[in-house]
Amino acid sequence: MKRDLIRIIQWGQELLSEVVQLGDLVFDLTAGNGQDTLALYQMVGSTGQVVAFDIQSQALLATRERMVAAGAQVRLHPQGTQLLRSDPGIDLLEMCHTELTGGVPGLAKGIIANLGYLPGGQRELVTRPDSTVKALEQSCSVLAAGGRLAVVVYPGHPGGTEEGTAVTNFFTELDDSTFKVLQMQVSNRSQAPFLFVAEKQS
Ligand SMILES: C[S@@+](CC[C@H](N)C(=O)[O-])C[C@H]1O[C@@H](n2cnc3c(N)ncnc32)[C@H](O)[C@@H]1O
């Protein structure tokens, strides 16, 4: 199928789908309205497990609705939930993604993070450079060999440029003997979102 060349989010999903298989464990660091969670679910199927984080209950409820409509088994966990067990289905955690390593049941074949604010929600509840970088550090430690981490950055909102710089520095400094890193960017539009994909070497 022909892709829209500059749909950065779709490129991120597409590049994850090349390595994620049915039955795999995958993480969504920013559930939002659940579109990435759904894309991950379509990759891992009903035998796989998707763990998705968000700090807003509004986002998790929207994601749950989308996932239930897709026929998935969904578990919604409140704040303070301890380590999840390995179990097929969708786990939605009302938790900051800096709690990633304390919450997930194993190593992931794919991790996605679509940064910024919830479309249609409060713009102040936005991802922030410090917590984003912490979550990315943890993501690298819980990524399985051969797995990929895809991050979409939006420089256009207040604080977005600073977050973009922090994320760019993070990926630029990853050890190239452990990670292959790709960056994709629309070149002829100002403040366009951009994508990093890192693949952990076997
Ligand atoms: C651009 S939206 C995500 C879009 C989503 N992936 C989708 O497919 O609809 C960013 C989300 O990140 C969430 N967020 C912001 N800070 C967060 C944090 N520290 N931990 C987890 N989620 C966070 C926001 O609440 C918002 O829902």
Side-chain angles (χ1 to χ4, degrees):
M1 184 177 70
K2 182 175 176 292
R3 299 273 172 205
D4 182 338
L5 189 62
I6 60 171
R7 288 291 298 275
I8 287 294
I9 295 172
Q10 284 187 1
W11 279 115
Q13 295 171 352
E14 179 90 7
L15 289 166
L16 288 192
S17 75
E18 289 182 357
V19 299
V20 174
Q21 297 179 329
L22 291 176
D24 279 344
L25 172 65
V26 291
F27 308 146
D28 183 350
L29 301 185
T30 54
N33 288 319
Q35 296 181 73
D36 294 313
T37 305
L38 177 61
L40 290 174
Y41 175 65
Q42 288 166 343
M43 295 175 211
V44 302
S46 58
T47 58
Q49 185 172 9
V50 185
V51 181
F53 293 78
D54 207 291
I55 50 171
Q56 295 192 67
S57 53
Q58 177 192 346
L60 294 172
L61 292 175
T63 300
R64 180 172 68 175
E65 195 175 316
R66 190 182 293 276
M67 301 313 301
V68 167
Q73 188 187 342
V74 185
R75 299 173 288 263
L76 186 56
H77 304 274
Q79 291 174 20
T81 298
Q82 299 299 308
L83 190 69
L84 298 173
R85 61 194 173 95
S86 178
D87 199 3
I90 315 296
D91 290 287
L92 302 179
L93 293 167
E94 189 175 346
M95 205 181 275
C96 176
H97 41 220
T98 54
E99 307 293 322
L100 177 70
T101 49
V104 295
L107 299 181
K109 209 60 192 298
I111 305 178
I112 199 159
N114 198 339
L115 303 175
Y117 57 85
L118 180 67
Q122 297 177 52
R123 292 190 171 208
E124 311 78 60
L125 292 173
V126 68
T127 54
R128 298 189 185 279
D130 286 1
S131 45
T132 295
V133 167
K134 277 185 194 148
L136 296 181
E137 286 167 355
Q138 293 181 26
S139 296
C140 287
S141 72
V142 294
L143 196 60
R148 289 182 180 171
L149 163 65
V151 181
V152 179
V153 184
Y154 297 85
H157 60 79
T161 302
E162 292 75 13
E163 184 171 50
T165 301
V167 171
T168 301
N169 290 341
F170 173 81
F171 281 106
T172 305
E173 289 164 12
L174 278 182
D175 178 4
D176 71 350
S177 64
T178 314
F179 290 94
K180 289 181 182 167
V181 181
L182 170 76
Q183 180 177 0
M184 290 175 103
Q185 185 158 23
V186 178
S187 302
N188 59 347
R189 186 183 291 176
S190 70
Q191 300 200 311
F194 52 97
L195 168 72
F196 284 99
V197 179
E199 181 180 283
K200 198 169 196 173
Q201 302 308 286
S202 304

